[in-house]
Amino acid sequence: MVFDLFRGSGESQIESIEEEVGKMLATAYDNFQLAIDALVRRVDPSEIGSTLRKRDKTINRVERAIRRQLIVHAGVRGSQADVPLLFVYMSIAKDIERVGDMSKDLWDLAAAGADMSGNDCATVTGVASDVSTLITDAARVFRERDADAAIAILNEADEAVDRYETEMLAQFTYPDASRAVPLALFYRYVMRITAHLMNVLTAVVMPFERLDYWDEDKIDRE
């Protein structure tokens, strides 16, 4: 939908920008995996903190590189610049950057002492597997412009967000705060990661004016 606006744009420039988007998603995937490994104590959080932060800075650098390419695009094409294209890619890059930030927040949770290697390990790793799959699916669907797959994934992810929110709120009824608070934060972060990835997918299926539609709460969307 959105990309129908950009027919006639320089294909080589678009391919270059999309390659950078792919790099951001790949790095976000790696950082998310590292953060989950720290939470369930497959690794010591202190041993991977430096690596995770460096990768997060890489995501930020790539986001800035995309912005520079878009600025060059606008400067070269002048009044012929595809202004919606600038906004779409800037929005997508910002959402992926936020996925990186949320992954770093998950690592911060582990570094602060949250240990989910016990009774919560299976739950956390199960949710993490779903989110990891969403990251890779979002990258593929965005690259292939597969609108049908995007719609199916968006609907599944929307249901997942509902589940994560329900689980997050349920933690506040549990008496053991040392367990409930980290779990509530975990669900909050994966819920936000999922929402930002859904925003990336909206570029494949939604008209420009409704970009980022899925980042809103359902009551606000309706």
Side-chain angles (χ1 to χ4, degrees), residues 14-136:
I14 290 175
E15 289 173 2
S16 176
I17 292 171
E18 291 187 354
E19 183 179 344
E20 299 295 336
V21 169
K23 290 179 182 177
M24 289 183 73
L25 283 167
T27 305
Y29 175 92
D30 290 341
N31 266 9
F32 179 74
Q33 295 291 338
L34 279 179
I36 296 301
D37 285 345
L39 273 174
V40 299
R41 293 302 190 268
R42 294 191 186 114
V43 296
D44 187 325
S46 65
E47 292 179 357
I48 63 168
S50 176
T51 298
L52 189 144
R53 286 190 293 271
K54 286 179 181 177
R55 288 180 178 174
D56 188 61
K57 289 179 181 178
T58 298
I59 293 175
N60 296 340
R61 284 196 297 270
V62 174
E63 182 190 14
R64 291 194 293 270
I66 290 173
R67 289 179 181 174
R68 285 194 295 271
Q69 290 192 60
L70 294 173
I71 290 170
V72 169
H73 169 84
V76 169
R77 294 177 67 90
S79 62
Q80 301 301 312
D82 297 309
V83 175
L85 175 65
L86 308 185
F87 287 117
V88 167
Y89 278 109
M90 285 184 180
S91 176
I92 290 169
K94 175 53 66 176
D95 277 305
I96 300 172
E97 186 268 338
R98 293 298 296 151
V99 172
D101 284 348
M102 294 292 106
S103 296
K104 189 168 61 175
D105 288 339
L106 285 169
W107 175 84
D108 285 339
L109 189 59
D115 183 344
M116 299 181 180
S117 62
N119 294 335
D120 298 315
C121 184
T123 297
V124 169
T125 54
V127 170
S129 177
D130 291 341
V131 175
S132 297
T133 298
L134 179 59
I135 297 173
T136 56

Side-chain angles (χ1 to χ4, degrees), residues 2-23:
V2 168
F3 294 99
D4 289 343
L5 298 171
F6 310 137
R7 291 170 180 165
S9 300
E11 289 298 323
S12 61
Q13 187 174 29
I14 290 175
E15 289 173 2
S16 176
I17 292 171
E18 291 187 354
E19 183 179 344
E20 299 295 336
V21 169
K23 290 179 182 177

